[in-house]
Short mmCIF file of all heavy atoms in Angstrom, two decimals:
data_model
loop_
_atom_site.label_atom_id
_atom_site.label_comp_id
_atom_site.label_asym_id
_atom_site.label_seq_id
_atom_site.Cartn_x
_atom_site.Cartn_y
_atom_site.Cartn_z
N SER J 616 95.23 91.86 65.07
CA SER J 616 94.65 91.84 66.43
C SER J 616 94.84 93.28 67.12
O SER J 616 94.12 93.64 68.06
CB SER J 616 95.38 90.91 67.36
OG SER J 616 96.77 91.18 67.41
N ASN J 651 102.28 107.97 91.65
CA ASN J 651 101.99 109.22 92.24
C ASN J 651 102.68 109.46 93.52
O ASN J 651 102.89 110.59 93.98
CB ASN J 651 100.46 109.30 92.48
CG ASN J 651 100.07 110.77 92.76
OD1 ASN J 651 100.50 111.73 92.08
ND2 ASN J 651 99.24 110.93 93.76
N GLY J 676 106.34 92.16 65.31
CA GLY J 676 105.37 92.20 64.15
C GLY J 676 105.40 91.00 63.33
O GLY J 676 105.15 90.99 62.07
N VAL J 699 112.49 88.88 77.20
CA VAL J 699 111.57 89.72 77.96
C VAL J 699 111.11 89.08 79.22
O VAL J 699 111.26 87.89 79.46
CB VAL J 699 110.27 90.05 77.00
CG1 VAL J 699 110.73 90.70 75.77
CG2 VAL J 699 109.46 88.88 76.82
N ALA J 834 92.04 82.73 83.54
CA ALA J 834 93.14 83.17 84.43
C ALA J 834 93.67 81.98 85.17
O ALA J 834 92.92 81.12 85.64
CB ALA J 834 92.64 84.25 85.39
N CYS J 838 99.08 84.14 84.86
CA CYS J 838 98.38 84.44 83.63
C CYS J 838 97.08 85.16 83.88
O CYS J 838 96.18 84.65 84.59
CB CYS J 838 98.08 83.11 82.96
SG CYS J 838 97.16 83.25 81.39
N SER J 852 96.72 108.92 73.73
CA SER J 852 98.10 109.00 74.09
C SER J 852 98.80 110.18 73.34
O SER J 852 99.85 110.63 73.71
CB SER J 852 98.83 107.69 73.84
OG SER J 852 98.98 107.48 72.39
N ILE J 877 100.72 98.00 83.24
CA ILE J 877 101.83 97.98 84.13
C ILE J 877 101.49 97.37 85.49
O ILE J 877 102.29 96.52 86.10
CB ILE J 877 102.50 99.37 84.24
CG1 ILE J 877 103.14 99.72 82.99
CG2 ILE J 877 103.51 99.38 85.45
CD1 ILE J 877 103.77 101.10 82.94
N SER J 880 101.18 93.65 85.11
CA SER J 880 102.49 93.12 84.82
C SER J 880 103.32 93.04 86.02
O SER J 880 103.95 92.00 86.28
CB SER J 880 103.21 93.99 83.72
OG SER J 880 102.48 93.99 82.56
N GLU J 882 102.18 92.77 89.12
CA GLU J 882 101.57 91.62 89.90
C GLU J 882 102.09 90.25 89.38
O GLU J 882 102.41 89.41 90.22
CB GLU J 882 100.01 91.73 89.83
CG GLU J 882 99.44 92.86 90.57
CD GLU J 882 97.96 93.05 90.32
OE1 GLU J 882 97.38 92.13 89.58
OE2 GLU J 882 97.33 94.00 90.88
N VAL J 892 114.51 109.54 98.43
CA VAL J 892 114.18 110.92 98.39
C VAL J 892 115.44 111.80 98.67
O VAL J 892 116.42 111.38 99.30
CB VAL J 892 113.04 111.26 99.34
CG1 VAL J 892 111.77 110.56 98.95
CG2 VAL J 892 113.43 110.96 100.77
N CYS J 937 104.49 113.47 108.23
CA CYS J 937 105.51 114.19 108.98
C CYS J 937 106.11 115.37 108.20
O CYS J 937 106.52 116.35 108.84
CB CYS J 937 106.62 113.25 109.36
SG CYS J 937 106.22 111.99 110.53
N LEU J 951 115.70 102.26 112.11
CA LEU J 951 116.93 101.55 111.55
C LEU J 951 116.71 100.10 111.32
O LEU J 951 116.20 99.46 112.25
CB LEU J 951 118.12 101.82 112.47
CG LEU J 951 118.59 103.29 112.65
CD1 LEU J 951 119.73 103.39 113.67
CD2 LEU J 951 119.07 103.86 111.34
#
Side-chain angles (χ1 to χ4, degrees):
S616 60
N651 194 46
V699 304
C838 180
S852 73
I877 289 178
S880 298
E882 289 172 2
V892 296
C937 294
L951 294 176

